[in-house]
Amino acid sequence: MKNKYSYVLNSIFKIIVILLLPNSINAQFGSPFVIDSANNTLVNTINIVDLDNDNQKDILVSNLYDSVYWYKNNGLLFNRMSAISNTVKRPYFVDCADVDGNGLQDVLVSYDDVYAGLKLFKNFGGNTWQQIIINDSIDAFVVRSYLVDLDNDSDLDIISCQDLEVAIYEQSAGTFSGMIKVADSSEFYNLVVHDFNGDGFVDFSVHSAAGFRLFINNHNLTFSPQTFTTALYLTLESCDIDNDGDFDLFYPDSAVSFNLITLKNDGSGGFSNFQSVMYHAGNNQNPPLKFLTLDNDTFPDALYIPLVNRGLYYKSNDGVGGLNFSHFIDSVYRYTFVNGGDLDGDNDNDLVWFANEPFGIKRVGYTLNNSGNTDYNELSSQEFYFYPNPVSNNILNIKYFSPTSSGGVFEIVDAIGKTVFKYTLPLYSSNHQITLPQLQNGVYNAMLTYEGAKICRKLAIVDN
């Protein structure tokens, strides 16, 4: 009886989601698509990275309690692979880079067990991983750790924010040194790394008990600090928000709750307050907030999940680094974490997310971004959109708001430009439900044409 009731409840929920889709999804983005709802506890990191060198970005996640694992991308069909590790207790932050130069992305995990620690998992292909313990006896919490070249010797070192110190582990001939403290005598709450002063060496910025601080690399594995403010914070992020070639900083505004201040970099490590913007994403060390391009320009936008309703939103960049306009993406689920990357190879950033509601079901999934389709854009996104996307049962719903008395022609075109489906839409504004032919799994161009105007969007076919 339990299985029967679960099936009925799940079916009712799917019907509700389908009924709500037209009103709860930004037309730029596809429908949220669940890839796993059975194997997750509490996902707290998501990385989008090609782990098997097949030119398709995979999804790497960590569960807070015990595991790091990944989903292999096979044309938007994601297969959960055997775990990279089931023995890392409380993984908290994950960074990826090719440490040994074999062309494959390795995985660095910061974790918080009885003793906190760092483990590096070397990638040898074929889902074969070698665990290397960097440090398994750190007394306090490890917040973030990154793989970066700190001494400009062309190999990757490790820098780690370890609560009681910031430490580095220098790589030499494939071996990492013991812990070298580069900042201590305080408590450290978060860390970002970039070349902030443009001298070619990686610097770092931290939140600490001594304040929000910038440490400039002295070119000899020592760092000189300067203090922005003595207030205590947790959230700390960095990106080049105005595309001027240097990295800016984002930290909480103590005067306005749930706001972040943008500190603009002048290129030489001098920073000035640019604006304060509300995200309502919480003040924590790994917030549901990412800076990445989501529309058709080249400027980073801010993807975030506000605490008030747990929907997906983004703030668009005005071209000078201002993040003033919020755009709703969807509220089909209650999301807790999100990141972005190009899953379908169309040169825009799709969304990968974790949600734990409704009905307490913990889901990992993705949402396709259609902003990469710039070939045909005379029709606005509000005049033409379709759902669900991806399509998994050959049924596609189309909303078409014809601004003239002419009908439209809907086509699906494959990767080599061949039309595999064609349908004439009736006149005027209407909803259409179309049964598609049995198409191969993959990503297609869905095109609407009317009176010479065209719009093209990505359409994914899965599980056929």
Side-chain angles (χ1 to χ4, degrees):
M1 292 299 290
K2 180 179 179 181
N3 290 338
K4 177 181 177 181
Y5 291 143
S6 298
Y7 174 79
V8 171
L9 188 62
N10 192 41
S11 299
I12 292 172
F13 172 68
K14 288 181 178 178
I15 292 170
I16 293 171
V17 167
I18 291 171
L19 290 173
L20 290 176
L21 281 175
N23 299 314
S24 60
I25 293 178
N26 182 320
Q28 175 186 327
F29 296 89
S31 307
F33 189 80
V34 175
I35 63 172
D36 190 356
S37 60
N39 299 295
N40 307 293
T41 52
L42 184 60
V43 169
N44 63 331
T45 70
I46 297 174
N47 295 64
I48 296 92
V49 58
D50 184 1
L51 291 172
D52 53 0
N53 264 10
D54 64 351
N55 296 315
Q56 298 184 92
K57 295 290 183 65
D58 308 300
I59 298 174
L60 173 67
V61 303
S62 68
N63 271 330
L64 178 60
Y65 300 111
D66 59 3
S67 58
V68 180
Y69 53 94
W70 63 292
Y71 300 91
K72 177 177 170 55
N73 188 348
N74 293 290
L76 294 181
L77 289 175
F78 286 89
N79 301 322
R80 176 168 167 146
M81 309 299 289
S82 57
I84 295 174
S85 174
N86 282 317
T87 62
V88 177
K89 301 300 182 184
R90 296 180 61 83
Y92 194 75
F93 191 80
V94 174
D95 192 33
C96 299
D98 181 7
V99 173
D100 51 10
N102 69 348
L104 295 167
Q105 296 287 301
D106 307 302
V107 176
L108 177 67
V109 181
S110 305
Y111 65 91
D112 180 32
D113 200 352
V114 176
Y115 287 98
L118 296 169
K119 290 184 179 180
L120 176 67
F121 295 89
K122 284 194 173 183
N123 186 350
F124 290 96
N127 204 32
T128 300
W129 304 85
Q130 177 190 6
Q131 175 182 283
I132 296 175
I133 297 174
I134 304 299
N135 190 344
D136 62 355
S137 57
I138 300 171
D139 289 334
F141 188 56
V142 180
V143 180
R144 287 184 178 181
S145 305
Y146 295 96
L147 291 160
V148 289
D149 185 1
L150 293 165
D151 49 6
N152 277 11
D153 63 351
S154 299
D155 58 26
L156 295 177
D157 311 299
I158 295 171
I159 184 168
S160 180
C161 181
Q162 300 179 173
D163 196 9
L164 297 180
E165 65 270 322
V166 176
I168 62 176
Y169 303 83
E170 183 185 8
Q171 184 185 177
S172 178
T175 301
F176 287 91
S177 71
M179 182 173 66
I180 303 170
K181 296 181 182 181
V182 292
D184 56 9
S185 302
S186 186
E187 293 180 352
F188 297 89
Y189 309 131
N190 217 335
L191 169 77
V192 292
V193 294
H194 285 297
D195 176 11
F196 288 110
N197 66 345
D199 65 352
F201 282 77
V202 174
D203 313 301
F204 67 90
S205 180
V206 296
H207 285 322
S208 71
F212 175 26
R213 311 180 79 189
L214 175 67
F215 286 76
I216 298 297
N217 194 327
N218 296 322
H219 307 177
N220 59 1
L221 295 184
T222 67
F223 296 80
S224 297
Q226 63 184 65
T227 301
F228 295 122
T229 172
T230 57
L232 301 180
Y233 305 108
L234 295 178
T235 297
L236 179 59
E237 301 295 336
S238 178
C239 80
D240 183 4
I241 197 63
D242 49 4
N243 278 4
D244 63 351
D246 51 52
F247 286 89
D248 310 296
L249 292 165
F250 301 82
Y251 74 103
D253 185 346
S254 59
V256 184
S257 297
F258 304 113
N259 277 31
L260 290 182
I261 290 176
T262 302
L263 279 184
K264 272 196 176 183
N265 190 345
D266 65 7
S268 60
F271 289 84
S272 58
N273 190 330
F274 176 66
Q275 72 171 168
S276 175
V277 176
M278 178 171 285
Y279 299 92
H280 216 294
N283 180 21
N284 59 71
Q285 291 154 314
N286 198 17
L289 168 69
K290 301 295 176 184
F291 293 95
L292 67 167
T293 302
L294 291 172
D295 47 29
N296 284 326
D297 61 24
T298 60
F299 288 86
D301 307 300
L303 172 66
Y304 66 104
I305 301 170
L307 297 174
V308 287
N309 68 357
R310 292 294 184 183
L312 292 176
Y313 293 77
Y314 80 94
K315 290 184 181 290
S316 56
N317 194 317
D318 63 7
V320 294
L323 298 164
N324 302 304
F325 300 102
S326 292
H327 304 266
F328 171 72
I329 298 174
D330 84 66
S331 58
V332 173
Y333 302 114
R334 287 179 60 83
Y335 302 97
T336 61
F337 198 80
V338 67
N339 205 341
D342 187 5
L343 297 176
D344 53 3
D346 66 347
N347 298 313
D348 60 20
N349 287 306
D350 309 298
L351 315 182
V352 182
W353 42 262
F354 172 70
N356 60 6
E357 292 291 346
F359 308 131
I361 300 172
K362 298 175 174 61
R363 304 169 177 88
V364 171
Y366 66 86
T367 301
L368 292 180
N369 184 357
N370 294 306
S371 72
N373 304 296
T374 57
D375 294 336
Y376 307 100
N377 55 17
E378 291 89 347
L379 268 174
S380 80
S381 61
Q382 297 303 316
E383 292 168 347
F384 167 58
Y385 63 93
F386 47 79
Y387 63 93
N389 186 16
V391 177
S392 60
N393 62 357
N394 293 328
I395 301 299
L396 182 68
N397 297 282
I398 298 175
K399 275 214 167 187
Y400 167 55
F401 298 85
S402 173
T404 73
S405 60
S406 300
V409 176
F410 176 73
E411 296 177 82
I412 298 177
V413 180
D414 66 14
I416 63 173
K418 179 183 177 182
T419 297
V420 294
F421 178 76
K422 191 172 184 178
Y423 179 83
T424 300
L425 296 166
L427 307 182
Y428 305 111
S429 301
S430 53
N431 298 324
H432 312 280
Q433 186 173 90
I434 297 174
T435 300
L436 301 178
Q438 193 75 17
L439 300 175
Q440 290 185 348
N441 292 327
V443 179
Y444 296 80
N445 285 317
M447 185 188 307
L448 176 67
T449 306
Y450 85 100
E451 291 188 348
K454 297 179 179 180
I455 188 168
C456 182
R457 301 190 180 285
K458 292 294 183 184
L459 174 66
I461 306 292
V462 298
D463 292 338
N464 276 349

